[in-house]
């Protein structure tokens, strides 16, 4: 814990309570948001172009699904609109992850290389908090919204019995999915701290997380095991969508996903601490 | 008697009697040198390349499994867009190979960064053609990359137990090799032309990603282009994209033969010519507004 011991003579009762701590971190986070908005608005064209890029890649995924379903009726038991819902959900989860975490994780190796990490470590706040949440990618919220529209449209075609409970479970599991994305990416960035360039990490990330939007039924054997229990990317979207369309054969899968998310978070924290222990500043 | 030192200096400064263009042999030797340099600098990144190849096997496996599932769901030995199950799987494997041999990985970013940071200054002062210089670096990079990729890809085929389709006709191999070389040139010139945007805008990555998205779907990365509806297939030869991947793969698999092959090669040559001209034109125009940042 990065709590600085109080100076001598500091009255015990003034020790910050949990509520004060939370308020303080919220204040910091609001300041970070304000910075990000300013930054994005400085490069307006670029901001808009990135939204277009993301939108184009999303459209491309949908085209792929459309082309496949020109030639077949089902992938395993997954029908066309189910897969579109899957791709939409996957995109939505990914965009929200991107909005909060992606650039920050990708920038970690740059921070190490340039020695700017020293500056962050010196701040009287939790270093992981600062490293993970420094920048907000506002354009991603726009794309998450577009993905949401596609999801609703697909659900409309599926004729589902939507209950508030199911939507709530779905949302909670999606949040777990974001947590898995974040933990894996953070772990990836923390492990490769001093070897691989930022581009390499992002490249690895795109390859790994592509799996999240594919129906899990397509995979078997070792491959499925590895990407369910070791790098649980196959759980990220499939489990929540299965809950929504009543395709979940065993409720245990939902529990598994929550547990895997927690496990990933713990592991990424461990990886981060090991990396920090081996950190030697580049600047001095 | 030795001339005084100052004298020798002046003599050295005097231009040679005949200022001819350097001989062809010297030109070739110069770029061979660049090629050698490229090998060395790319070999330094061999582990980065290896990581890249290994990571790219994940989506490849996923796509192969996805198609196996689709074919398993069909009733009889059915064709999807004219492809049998084994042909479809072969398509992705050959495409992975062609991609390893021809795709631009980092050259476009590097060129754009060179321009933005003013690194091209010292190259401009030298008697090298930047386009040719970059082409040599690209070629050496591809050879190193393909060399690094050979083992993991071969291992992948071996483990997955897929049968690899090998054409027996020598002519097919010849046309494939020719088309492969043209594909590499096309990829390079398009990337070079795009990177030239760095003369005008600060941030080129968005533009590169937009074109890359079109390349990704329209060149046949995700699926063989035969699966597209007729109207779209008709439109594709009017774009350079199919010649960036799909065309050589379809020659290898024996899907494009006879007059279609000849027509395709002619169009591919045309696209290489157009992209080369665009790259060259953009470079000349760009230099005119170049401010040599970082002097």
């Amino acid at each position: 814990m990065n709590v600085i011991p109080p100076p001598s003579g500091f009255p015990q009762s003034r020790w910050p309570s949990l509520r004060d701590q939370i308020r303080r971190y919220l204040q910091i986070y609001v300041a970070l948001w304000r910075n990000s908005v300013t930054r994005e608005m400085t490069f307006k064209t670029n901001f808009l172009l990135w939204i277009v890029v993301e939108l184009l890649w999303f459209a491309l995924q949908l085209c792929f699904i459309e082309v496949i379903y020109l030639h077949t009726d089902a992938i395993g038991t997954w029908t066309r609109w189910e897969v579109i819902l899957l791709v939409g959900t996957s995109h939505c989860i990914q965009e929200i992850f991107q909005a909060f975490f992606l650039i920050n994780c990708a920038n970690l190796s740059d921070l190490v290389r340039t020695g700017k990490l020293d500056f962050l470590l010196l701040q009287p706040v939790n270093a992981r908090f600062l490293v993970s949440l420094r920048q907000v990618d506002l354009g991603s919220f726009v794309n998450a919204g577009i993905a949401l529209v596609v999801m609703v449209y697909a659900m409309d075609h599926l004729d589902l019995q939507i209950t508030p409970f199911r939507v709530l479970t779905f949302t909670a599991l999606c949040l777990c999915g974001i947590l898995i994305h974040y933990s894996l990416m953070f772990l990836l960035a923390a492990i490769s701290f001093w070897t691989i360039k930022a581009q390499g990490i992002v490249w690895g990330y795109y390859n790994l997380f592509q799996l999240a939007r594919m129906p899990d039924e397509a995979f078997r054997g070792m491959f499925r095991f590895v990407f369910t229990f070791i790098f649980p990317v196959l759980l990220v979207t499939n489990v929540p969508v299965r809950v929504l369309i009543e395709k979940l054969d065993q409720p245990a899968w939902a529990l598994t996903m929550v547990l895997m998310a927690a496990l990933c978070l713990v592991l990424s924290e461990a990886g981060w601490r090991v990396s920090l222990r081996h950190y030697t500043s580049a600047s001095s | 008697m030795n001339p005084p030192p100052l004298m020798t200096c002046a003599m050295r400064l005097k231009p040679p009697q005949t200022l001819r263009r350097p001989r062809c042999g010297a030109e070739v030797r110069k770029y061979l040198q660049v090629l050698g340099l490229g090998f060395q600098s790319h070999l330094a990144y061999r582990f980065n390349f290896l990581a890249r190849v290994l990571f790219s096997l994940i989506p490849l496996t996923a796509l192969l499994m996805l198609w196996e599932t689709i074919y398993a769901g069909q009733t009889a030995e059915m064709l999807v867009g004219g492809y049998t199950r084994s042909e479809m799987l072969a398509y992705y494997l050959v495409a992975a190979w062609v991609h390893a041999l021809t795709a631009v990985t980092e050259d476009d970013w590097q060129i754009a960064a060179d321009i933005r940071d003013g690194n091209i200054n010292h190259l401009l002062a030298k008697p090298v053609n930047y386009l040719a210089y970059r082409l040599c670096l690209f070629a050496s990079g591809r050879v190193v990359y393909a060399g690094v990729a050979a083992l993991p890809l071969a291992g992948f085929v071996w483990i997955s137990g897929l049968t690899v389709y090998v054409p027996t006709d020598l002519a097919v191999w010849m046309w494939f090799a020719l088309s492969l070389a043209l594909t590499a040139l096309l990829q390079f010139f398009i990337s070079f032309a795009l990177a030239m945007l760095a003369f005008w805008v600060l941030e080129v990555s968005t533009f590169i990603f937009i074109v890359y998205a079109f390349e990704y779907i329209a060149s046949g990365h995700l699926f063989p282009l035969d699966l597209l509806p007729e109207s779209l297939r008709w439109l594709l030869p009017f774009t350079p994209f199919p010649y960036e991947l799909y065309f050589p793969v379809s020659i290898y698999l024996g899907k494009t033969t006879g007059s279609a092959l000849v027509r395709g090669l002619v169009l591919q040559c045309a696209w290489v010519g157009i992209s080369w001209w665009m790259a060259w034109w953009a470079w000349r125009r760009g230099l005119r507004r170049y401010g040599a940042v970082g002097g």
Side-chain angles (χ1 to χ4, degrees), chain A residues 46 50 53 57 60 64 71 199 203 207 210-211 218-219, chain B residues 52 59 62 69 80 106 203 206 209-210 213 222-223 227:
Chain A
N46 214 42
W50 271 115
V53 170
W57 280 88
L60 189 148
F64 179 46
H71 299 275
Q199 261 181 354
W203 168 259
N207 280 311
Q210 266 184 34
L211 296 181
F219 307 113
Chain B
R52 236 184 140 94
T69 314
V80 174
E106 297 215 334
E203 180 65 37
T206 40
F209 272 122
I210 287 173
L222 275 174
F223 52 82
L227 300 194

PDB file of all heavy atoms in Angstrom, chain A residues 46 50 53 57 60 64 71 199 203 207 210-211 218-219, chain B residues 52 59 62 69 80 106 203 206 209-210 213 222-223 227:
ATOM      1  N   ASN A  46      -8.266  14.580 -35.477  1.00  0.00           N
ATOM      2  CA  ASN A  46      -7.739  13.283 -35.129  1.00  0.00           C
ATOM      3  C   ASN A  46      -8.729  12.496 -34.283  1.00  0.00           C
ATOM      4  O   ASN A  46      -8.936  11.300 -34.478  1.00  0.00           O
ATOM      5  CB  ASN A  46      -6.435  13.480 -34.360  1.00  0.00           C
ATOM      6  CG  ASN A  46      -5.470  12.385 -34.672  1.00  0.00           C
ATOM      7  OD1 ASN A  46      -5.338  11.997 -35.832  1.00  0.00           O
ATOM      8  ND2 ASN A  46      -4.830  11.870 -33.666  1.00  0.00           N
ATOM      9  N   TRP A  50     -10.304   8.909 -35.469  1.00  0.00           N
ATOM     10  CA  TRP A  50     -10.178   7.657 -34.720  1.00  0.00           C
ATOM     11  C   TRP A  50     -11.527   6.984 -34.546  1.00  0.00           C
ATOM     12  O   TRP A  50     -11.637   5.753 -34.583  1.00  0.00           O
ATOM     13  CB  TRP A  50      -9.507   7.874 -33.367  1.00  0.00           C
ATOM     14  CG  TRP A  50      -8.028   7.757 -33.468  1.00  0.00           C
ATOM     15  CD1 TRP A  50      -7.113   8.746 -33.253  1.00  0.00           C
ATOM     16  CD2 TRP A  50      -7.270   6.592 -33.839  1.00  0.00           C
ATOM     17  NE1 TRP A  50      -5.847   8.267 -33.474  1.00  0.00           N
ATOM     18  CE2 TRP A  50      -5.908   6.953 -33.830  1.00  0.00           C
ATOM     19  CE3 TRP A  50      -7.616   5.283 -34.182  1.00  0.00           C
ATOM     20  CZ2 TRP A  50      -4.892   6.052 -34.143  1.00  0.00           C
ATOM     21  CZ3 TRP A  50      -6.598   4.399 -34.496  1.00  0.00           C
ATOM     22  CH2 TRP A  50      -5.270   4.778 -34.475  1.00  0.00           C
ATOM     23  N   VAL A  53     -12.150   5.219 -37.718  1.00  0.00           N
ATOM     24  CA  VAL A  53     -11.337   4.006 -37.829  1.00  0.00           C
ATOM     25  C   VAL A  53     -11.984   2.849 -37.072  1.00  0.00           C
ATOM     26  O   VAL A  53     -12.179   1.754 -37.596  1.00  0.00           O
ATOM     27  CB  VAL A  53      -9.906   4.253 -37.289  1.00  0.00           C
ATOM     28  CG1 VAL A  53      -9.148   2.943 -37.169  1.00  0.00           C
ATOM     29  CG2 VAL A  53      -9.150   5.191 -38.199  1.00  0.00           C
ATOM     30  N   TRP A  57     -13.633  -0.769 -38.495  1.00  0.00           N
ATOM     31  CA  TRP A  57     -13.224  -2.117 -38.097  1.00  0.00           C
ATOM     32  C   TRP A  57     -14.404  -2.911 -37.557  1.00  0.00           C
ATOM     33  O   TRP A  57     -14.480  -4.131 -37.719  1.00  0.00           O
ATOM     34  CB  TRP A  57     -12.077  -2.058 -37.087  1.00  0.00           C
ATOM     35  CG  TRP A  57     -10.791  -1.813 -37.781  1.00  0.00           C
ATOM     36  CD1 TRP A  57     -10.263  -0.597 -38.091  1.00  0.00           C
ATOM     37  CD2 TRP A  57      -9.892  -2.789 -38.324  1.00  0.00           C
ATOM     38  NE1 TRP A  57      -9.096  -0.758 -38.784  1.00  0.00           N
ATOM     39  CE2 TRP A  57      -8.836  -2.091 -38.935  1.00  0.00           C
ATOM     40  CE3 TRP A  57      -9.874  -4.176 -38.342  1.00  0.00           C
ATOM     41  CZ2 TRP A  57      -7.785  -2.724 -39.556  1.00  0.00           C
ATOM     42  CZ3 TRP A  57      -8.815  -4.811 -38.957  1.00  0.00           C
ATOM     43  CH2 TRP A  57      -7.784  -4.097 -39.562  1.00  0.00           C
ATOM     44  N   LEU A  60     -16.406  -4.024 -40.465  1.00  0.00           N
ATOM     45  CA  LEU A  60     -15.691  -5.112 -41.127  1.00  0.00           C
ATOM     46  C   LEU A  60     -15.992  -6.460 -40.466  1.00  0.00           C
ATOM     47  O   LEU A  60     -16.210  -7.471 -41.143  1.00  0.00           O
ATOM     48  CB  LEU A  60     -14.227  -4.748 -41.005  1.00  0.00           C
ATOM     49  CG  LEU A  60     -13.103  -5.440 -41.678  1.00  0.00           C
ATOM     50  CD1 LEU A  60     -12.055  -4.391 -41.934  1.00  0.00           C
ATOM     51  CD2 LEU A  60     -12.540  -6.497 -40.809  1.00  0.00           C
ATOM     52  N   PHE A  64     -17.917  -9.738 -42.150  1.00  0.00           N
ATOM     53  CA  PHE A  64     -17.406 -11.108 -42.111  1.00  0.00           C
ATOM     54  C   PHE A  64     -18.516 -12.080 -41.707  1.00  0.00           C
ATOM     55  O   PHE A  64     -18.715 -13.119 -42.341  1.00  0.00           O
ATOM     56  CB  PHE A  64     -16.232 -11.162 -41.123  1.00  0.00           C
ATOM     57  CG  PHE A  64     -15.630 -12.533 -40.974  1.00  0.00           C
ATOM     58  CD1 PHE A  64     -15.347 -13.320 -42.085  1.00  0.00           C
ATOM     59  CD2 PHE A  64     -15.317 -13.035 -39.720  1.00  0.00           C
ATOM     60  CE1 PHE A  64     -14.781 -14.577 -41.951  1.00  0.00           C
ATOM     61  CE2 PHE A  64     -14.752 -14.289 -39.573  1.00  0.00           C
ATOM     62  CZ  PHE A  64     -14.490 -15.062 -40.697  1.00  0.00           C
ATOM     63  N   HIS A  71     -23.498 -18.354 -46.651  1.00  0.00           N
ATOM     64  CA  HIS A  71     -23.184 -19.700 -47.109  1.00  0.00           C
ATOM     65  C   HIS A  71     -23.569 -20.790 -46.129  1.00  0.00           C
ATOM     66  O   HIS A  71     -23.466 -21.965 -46.428  1.00  0.00           O
ATOM     67  CB  HIS A  71     -21.697 -19.808 -47.410  1.00  0.00           C
ATOM     68  CG  HIS A  71     -21.241 -18.877 -48.499  1.00  0.00           C
ATOM     69  ND1 HIS A  71     -21.318 -19.194 -49.827  1.00  0.00           N
ATOM     70  CD2 HIS A  71     -20.751 -17.616 -48.450  1.00  0.00           C
ATOM     71  CE1 HIS A  71     -20.873 -18.186 -50.546  1.00  0.00           C
ATOM     72  NE2 HIS A  71     -20.539 -17.212 -49.737  1.00  0.00           N
ATOM     73  N   GLN A 199       4.341  -1.082 -29.446  1.00  0.00           N
ATOM     74  CA  GLN A 199       3.603  -1.599 -30.599  1.00  0.00           C
ATOM     75  C   GLN A 199       3.451  -3.106 -30.523  1.00  0.00           C
ATOM     76  O   GLN A 199       2.422  -3.654 -30.897  1.00  0.00           O
ATOM     77  CB  GLN A 199       4.338  -1.219 -31.877  1.00  0.00           C
ATOM     78  CG  GLN A 199       3.738  -0.001 -32.528  1.00  0.00           C
ATOM     79  CD  GLN A 199       4.459   0.365 -33.799  1.00  0.00           C
ATOM     80  OE1 GLN A 199       5.478  -0.219 -34.132  1.00  0.00           O
ATOM     81  NE2 GLN A 199       3.939   1.343 -34.484  1.00  0.00           N
ATOM     82  N   TRP A 203      -0.036  -5.152 -30.561  1.00  0.00           N
ATOM     83  CA  TRP A 203      -0.183  -6.191 -31.577  1.00  0.00           C
ATOM     84  C   TRP A 203      -0.619  -7.519 -30.935  1.00  0.00           C
ATOM     85  O   TRP A 203      -1.550  -8.174 -31.387  1.00  0.00           O
ATOM     86  CB  TRP A 203       1.153  -6.338 -32.314  1.00  0.00           C
ATOM     87  CG  TRP A 203       1.248  -7.531 -33.179  1.00  0.00           C
ATOM     88  CD1 TRP A 203       1.887  -8.695 -32.878  1.00  0.00           C
ATOM     89  CD2 TRP A 203       0.676  -7.712 -34.474  1.00  0.00           C
ATOM     90  NE1 TRP A 203       1.750  -9.575 -33.905  1.00  0.00           N
ATOM     91  CE2 TRP A 203       1.014  -9.000 -34.901  1.00  0.00           C
ATOM     92  CE3 TRP A 203      -0.100  -6.901 -35.309  1.00  0.00           C
ATOM     93  CZ2 TRP A 203       0.625  -9.505 -36.120  1.00  0.00           C
ATOM     94  CZ3 TRP A 203      -0.487  -7.411 -36.532  1.00  0.00           C
ATOM     95  CH2 TRP A 203      -0.133  -8.690 -36.927  1.00  0.00           C
ATOM     96  N   ASN A 207      -4.364  -9.607 -31.365  1.00  0.00           N
ATOM     97  CA  ASN A 207      -4.471 -10.998 -31.778  1.00  0.00           C
ATOM     98  C   ASN A 207      -5.211 -11.833 -30.751  1.00  0.00           C
ATOM     99  O   ASN A 207      -6.029 -12.683 -31.081  1.00  0.00           O
ATOM    100  CB  ASN A 207      -3.085 -11.581 -32.015  1.00  0.00           C
ATOM    101  CG  ASN A 207      -2.557 -11.184 -33.366  1.00  0.00           C
ATOM    102  OD1 ASN A 207      -3.256 -11.321 -34.359  1.00  0.00           O
ATOM    103  ND2 ASN A 207      -1.352 -10.686 -33.412  1.00  0.00           N
ATOM    104  N   GLN A 210      -9.107 -10.881 -30.279  1.00  0.00           N
ATOM    105  CA  GLN A 210      -9.982 -11.187 -31.420  1.00  0.00           C
ATOM    106  C   GLN A 210     -10.870 -12.381 -31.116  1.00  0.00           C
ATOM    107  O   GLN A 210     -11.980 -12.491 -31.615  1.00  0.00           O
ATOM    108  CB  GLN A 210      -9.131 -11.554 -32.626  1.00  0.00           C
ATOM    109  CG  GLN A 210      -8.834 -10.418 -33.546  1.00  0.00           C
ATOM    110  CD  GLN A 210      -8.080 -10.911 -34.760  1.00  0.00           C
ATOM    111  OE1 GLN A 210      -8.298 -12.012 -35.228  1.00  0.00           O
ATOM    112  NE2 GLN A 210      -7.192 -10.088 -35.248  1.00  0.00           N
ATOM    113  N   LEU A 211     -10.338 -13.291 -30.300  1.00  0.00           N
ATOM    114  CA  LEU A 211     -11.071 -14.521 -29.996  1.00  0.00           C
ATOM    115  C   LEU A 211     -12.378 -14.229 -29.273  1.00  0.00           C
ATOM    116  O   LEU A 211     -13.330 -14.994 -29.369  1.00  0.00           O
ATOM    117  CB  LEU A 211     -10.223 -15.435 -29.114  1.00  0.00           C
ATOM    118  CG  LEU A 211      -8.935 -15.954 -29.724  1.00  0.00           C
ATOM    119  CD1 LEU A 211      -8.249 -16.866 -28.724  1.00  0.00           C
ATOM    120  CD2 LEU A 211      -9.217 -16.713 -30.988  1.00  0.00           C
ATOM    121  N   ALA A 218     -17.091 -23.033 -31.608  1.00  0.00           N
ATOM    122  CA  ALA A 218     -16.195 -23.361 -32.714  1.00  0.00           C
ATOM    123  C   ALA A 218     -14.920 -24.030 -32.221  1.00  0.00           C
ATOM    124  O   ALA A 218     -14.218 -24.666 -32.995  1.00  0.00           O
ATOM    125  CB  ALA A 218     -15.857 -22.095 -33.494  1.00  0.00           C
ATOM    126  N   PHE A 219     -14.628 -23.888 -30.936  1.00  0.00           N
ATOM    127  CA  PHE A 219     -13.311 -24.332 -30.463  1.00  0.00           C
ATOM    128  C   PHE A 219     -13.393 -25.600 -29.636  1.00  0.00           C
ATOM    129  O   PHE A 219     -14.354 -25.825 -28.907  1.00  0.00           O
ATOM    130  CB  PHE A 219     -12.658 -23.217 -29.664  1.00  0.00           C
ATOM    131  CG  PHE A 219     -12.624 -21.937 -30.433  1.00  0.00           C
ATOM    132  CD1 PHE A 219     -13.373 -20.842 -30.021  1.00  0.00           C
ATOM    133  CD2 PHE A 219     -11.881 -21.843 -31.588  1.00  0.00           C
ATOM    134  CE1 PHE A 219     -13.369 -19.678 -30.751  1.00  0.00           C
ATOM    135  CE2 PHE A 219     -11.867 -20.677 -32.319  1.00  0.00           C
ATOM    136  CZ  PHE A 219     -12.613 -19.589 -31.902  1.00  0.00           C
TER     137      PHE A 219
ATOM    138  N   ARG B  52       5.727 -11.849 -32.987  1.00  0.00           N
ATOM    139  CA  ARG B  52       4.670 -11.459 -33.914  1.00  0.00           C
ATOM    140  C   ARG B  52       4.069 -12.666 -34.613  1.00  0.00           C
ATOM    141  O   ARG B  52       2.855 -12.816 -34.709  1.00  0.00           O
ATOM    142  CB  ARG B  52       5.289 -10.542 -34.971  1.00  0.00           C
ATOM    143  CG  ARG B  52       4.636  -9.214 -35.086  1.00  0.00           C
ATOM    144  CD  ARG B  52       5.300  -8.474 -36.230  1.00  0.00           C
ATOM    145  NE  ARG B  52       4.271  -7.766 -36.960  1.00  0.00           N
ATOM    146  CZ  ARG B  52       3.943  -6.507 -36.725  1.00  0.00           C
ATOM    147  NH1 ARG B  52       4.557  -5.828 -35.804  1.00  0.00           N
ATOM    148  NH2 ARG B  52       2.997  -5.925 -37.415  1.00  0.00           N
ATOM    149  N   PRO B  59      -5.131 -16.125 -33.967  1.00  0.00           N
ATOM    150  CA  PRO B  59      -6.311 -15.919 -34.807  1.00  0.00           C
ATOM    151  C   PRO B  59      -6.377 -16.877 -35.987  1.00  0.00           C
ATOM    152  O   PRO B  59      -7.473 -17.250 -36.422  1.00  0.00           O
ATOM    153  CB  PRO B  59      -6.184 -14.479 -35.283  1.00  0.00           C
ATOM    154  CG  PRO B  59      -4.858 -14.008 -34.898  1.00  0.00           C
ATOM    155  CD  PRO B  59      -4.331 -14.897 -33.840  1.00  0.00           C
ATOM    156  N   ALA B  62      -7.915 -19.945 -34.756  1.00  0.00           N
ATOM    157  CA  ALA B  62      -9.326 -19.671 -34.492  1.00  0.00           C
ATOM    158  C   ALA B  62     -10.131 -19.728 -35.788  1.00  0.00           C
ATOM    159  O   ALA B  62     -11.202 -20.353 -35.836  1.00  0.00           O
ATOM    160  CB  ALA B  62      -9.472 -18.313 -33.827  1.00  0.00           C
ATOM    161  N   THR B  69     -15.874 -26.059 -37.938  1.00  0.00           N
ATOM    162  CA  THR B  69     -17.196 -26.170 -37.319  1.00  0.00           C
ATOM    163  C   THR B  69     -18.294 -25.936 -38.345  1.00  0.00           C
ATOM    164  O   THR B  69     -19.306 -26.640 -38.348  1.00  0.00           O
ATOM    165  CB  THR B  69     -17.330 -25.141 -36.178  1.00  0.00           C
ATOM    166  OG1 THR B  69     -16.160 -25.191 -35.385  1.00  0.00           O
ATOM    167  CG2 THR B  69     -18.546 -25.423 -35.330  1.00  0.00           C
ATOM    168  N   VAL B  80     -18.555 -24.458 -49.965  1.00  0.00           N
ATOM    169  CA  VAL B  80     -18.861 -23.096 -49.548  1.00  0.00           C
ATOM    170  C   VAL B  80     -18.138 -22.171 -50.506  1.00  0.00           C
ATOM    171  O   VAL B  80     -16.911 -22.135 -50.522  1.00  0.00           O
ATOM    172  CB  VAL B  80     -18.407 -22.837 -48.098  1.00  0.00           C
ATOM    173  CG1 VAL B  80     -18.603 -21.375 -47.744  1.00  0.00           C
ATOM    174  CG2 VAL B  80     -19.166 -23.722 -47.131  1.00  0.00           C
ATOM    175  N   GLU B 106       6.343  -2.729 -40.504  1.00  0.00           N
ATOM    176  CA  GLU B 106       6.579  -1.476 -39.793  1.00  0.00           C
ATOM    177  C   GLU B 106       7.113  -0.384 -40.700  1.00  0.00           C
ATOM    178  O   GLU B 106       7.317   0.732 -40.249  1.00  0.00           O
ATOM    179  CB  GLU B 106       7.576  -1.712 -38.655  1.00  0.00           C
ATOM    180  CG  GLU B 106       7.047  -2.678 -37.617  1.00  0.00           C
ATOM    181  CD  GLU B 106       7.491  -2.320 -36.213  1.00  0.00           C
ATOM    182  OE1 GLU B 106       8.538  -1.681 -36.073  1.00  0.00           O
ATOM    183  OE2 GLU B 106       6.775  -2.675 -35.275  1.00  0.00           O
ATOM    184  N   GLU B 203      -0.183  13.367 -37.867  1.00  0.00           N
ATOM    185  CA  GLU B 203      -0.528  12.034 -37.377  1.00  0.00           C
ATOM    186  C   GLU B 203      -1.080  11.207 -38.539  1.00  0.00           C
ATOM    187  O   GLU B 203      -2.188  11.437 -38.997  1.00  0.00           O
ATOM    188  CB  GLU B 203      -1.573  12.189 -36.259  1.00  0.00           C
ATOM    189  CG  GLU B 203      -2.055  10.931 -35.637  1.00  0.00           C
ATOM    190  CD  GLU B 203      -0.987  10.173 -34.873  1.00  0.00           C
ATOM    191  OE1 GLU B 203      -0.144  10.813 -34.243  1.00  0.00           O
ATOM    192  OE2 GLU B 203      -1.021   8.945 -34.941  1.00  0.00           O
ATOM    193  N   THR B 206      -4.081   7.249 -38.393  1.00  0.00           N
ATOM    194  CA  THR B 206      -5.500   7.053 -38.693  1.00  0.00           C
ATOM    195  C   THR B 206      -5.704   6.695 -40.163  1.00  0.00           C
ATOM    196  O   THR B 206      -6.441   5.775 -40.486  1.00  0.00           O
ATOM    197  CB  THR B 206      -6.316   8.317 -38.379  1.00  0.00           C
ATOM    198  OG1 THR B 206      -5.567   9.439 -38.793  1.00  0.00           O
ATOM    199  CG2 THR B 206      -6.596   8.417 -36.908  1.00  0.00           C
ATOM    200  N   PHE B 209      -4.614   3.188 -40.853  1.00  0.00           N
ATOM    201  CA  PHE B 209      -5.560   2.198 -40.331  1.00  0.00           C
ATOM    202  C   PHE B 209      -6.824   2.114 -41.179  1.00  0.00           C
ATOM    203  O   PHE B 209      -7.413   1.045 -41.312  1.00  0.00           O
ATOM    204  CB  PHE B 209      -5.934   2.514 -38.876  1.00  0.00           C
ATOM    205  CG  PHE B 209      -4.998   1.892 -37.890  1.00  0.00           C
ATOM    206  CD1 PHE B 209      -4.316   2.670 -36.975  1.00  0.00           C
ATOM    207  CD2 PHE B 209      -4.786   0.523 -37.872  1.00  0.00           C
ATOM    208  CE1 PHE B 209      -3.439   2.108 -36.066  1.00  0.00           C
ATOM    209  CE2 PHE B 209      -3.921  -0.057 -36.965  1.00  0.00           C
ATOM    210  CZ  PHE B 209      -3.242   0.746 -36.053  1.00  0.00           C
ATOM    211  N   ILE B 210      -7.244   3.255 -41.731  1.00  0.00           N
ATOM    212  CA  ILE B 210      -8.444   3.224 -42.566  1.00  0.00           C
ATOM    213  C   ILE B 210      -8.184   2.382 -43.815  1.00  0.00           C
ATOM    214  O   ILE B 210      -8.962   1.490 -44.174  1.00  0.00           O
ATOM    215  CB  ILE B 210      -8.874   4.661 -42.942  1.00  0.00           C
ATOM    216  CG1 ILE B 210      -9.479   5.350 -41.710  1.00  0.00           C
ATOM    217  CG2 ILE B 210      -9.895   4.637 -44.079  1.00  0.00           C
ATOM    218  CD1 ILE B 210      -9.785   6.814 -41.886  1.00  0.00           C
ATOM    219  N   ALA B 213      -7.934  -1.267 -42.979  1.00  0.00           N
ATOM    220  CA  ALA B 213      -9.223  -1.941 -42.781  1.00  0.00           C
ATOM    221  C   ALA B 213      -9.768  -2.458 -44.109  1.00  0.00           C
ATOM    222  O   ALA B 213     -10.224  -3.601 -44.209  1.00  0.00           O
ATOM    223  CB  ALA B 213     -10.220  -0.988 -42.131  1.00  0.00           C
ATOM    224  N   LEU B 222      -9.660 -12.243 -44.305  1.00  0.00           N
ATOM    225  CA  LEU B 222     -10.651 -12.878 -43.437  1.00  0.00           C
ATOM    226  C   LEU B 222     -11.307 -14.074 -44.090  1.00  0.00           C
ATOM    227  O   LEU B 222     -11.662 -15.028 -43.424  1.00  0.00           O
ATOM    228  CB  LEU B 222     -11.729 -11.850 -43.056  1.00  0.00           C
ATOM    229  CG  LEU B 222     -11.402 -10.982 -41.860  1.00  0.00           C
ATOM    230  CD1 LEU B 222     -12.465  -9.923 -41.676  1.00  0.00           C
ATOM    231  CD2 LEU B 222     -11.289 -11.813 -40.597  1.00  0.00           C
ATOM    232  N   PHE B 223     -11.506 -14.010 -45.406  1.00  0.00           N
ATOM    233  CA  PHE B 223     -12.146 -15.113 -46.123  1.00  0.00           C
ATOM    234  C   PHE B 223     -11.776 -15.000 -47.592  1.00  0.00           C
ATOM    235  O   PHE B 223     -11.459 -13.904 -48.068  1.00  0.00           O
ATOM    236  CB  PHE B 223     -13.667 -15.062 -45.949  1.00  0.00           C
ATOM    237  CG  PHE B 223     -14.261 -13.731 -46.272  1.00  0.00           C
ATOM    238  CD1 PHE B 223     -14.529 -13.372 -47.593  1.00  0.00           C
ATOM    239  CD2 PHE B 223     -14.529 -12.807 -45.273  1.00  0.00           C
ATOM    240  CE1 PHE B 223     -15.056 -12.138 -47.895  1.00  0.00           C
ATOM    241  CE2 PHE B 223     -15.062 -11.560 -45.576  1.00  0.00           C
ATOM    242  CZ  PHE B 223     -15.323 -11.235 -46.892  1.00  0.00           C
ATOM    243  N   LEU B 227     -16.271 -15.902 -51.752  1.00  0.00           N
ATOM    244  CA  LEU B 227     -17.477 -16.006 -50.933  1.00  0.00           C
ATOM    245  C   LEU B 227     -18.360 -14.766 -51.059  1.00  0.00           C
ATOM    246  O   LEU B 227     -19.515 -14.785 -50.655  1.00  0.00           O
ATOM    247  CB  LEU B 227     -17.114 -16.179 -49.453  1.00  0.00           C
ATOM    248  CG  LEU B 227     -16.286 -17.385 -49.049  1.00  0.00           C
ATOM    249  CD1 LEU B 227     -16.312 -17.564 -47.543  1.00  0.00           C
ATOM    250  CD2 LEU B 227     -16.788 -18.642 -49.709  1.00  0.00           C
TER     251      LEU B 227
END
